[in-house]
Amino acid sequence: MAGLLAALLWGTVGQYVAWVTVGAPVLVVAWVWVRCRTTKTGQFSRAARGK
């Protein structure tokens, strides 16, 4: 919400703030998804193999 308001109220600087604040959650979700896909050791992977 802060990023969207910054884009509307702060002009050019607000646009950069908006890109960072709106893009950060997307990058975090992508990073966690890639990390979970590449890491196969853990509680749930053992249960899926039947051990």
Side-chain angles (χ1 to χ4, degrees), residues 5-26:
L5 285 174
L8 291 173
L9 301 176
W10 292 348
T12 305
V13 174
Q15 290 177 353
Y16 295 113
V17 173
W19 274 104
V20 171
T21 56
V22 173
V26 175

Side-chain angles (χ1 to χ4, degrees), residues 1-40:
M1 193 69 151
L4 297 174
L5 285 174
L8 291 173
L9 301 176
W10 292 348
T12 305
V13 174
Q15 290 177 353
Y16 295 113
V17 173
W19 274 104
V20 171
T21 56
V22 173
V26 175
L27 291 175
V28 169
V29 168
W31 178 69
V32 170
W33 183 75
V34 168
R35 186 174 166 125
C36 287
R37 298 285 291 175
T38 58
T39 306
K40 294 296 181 183

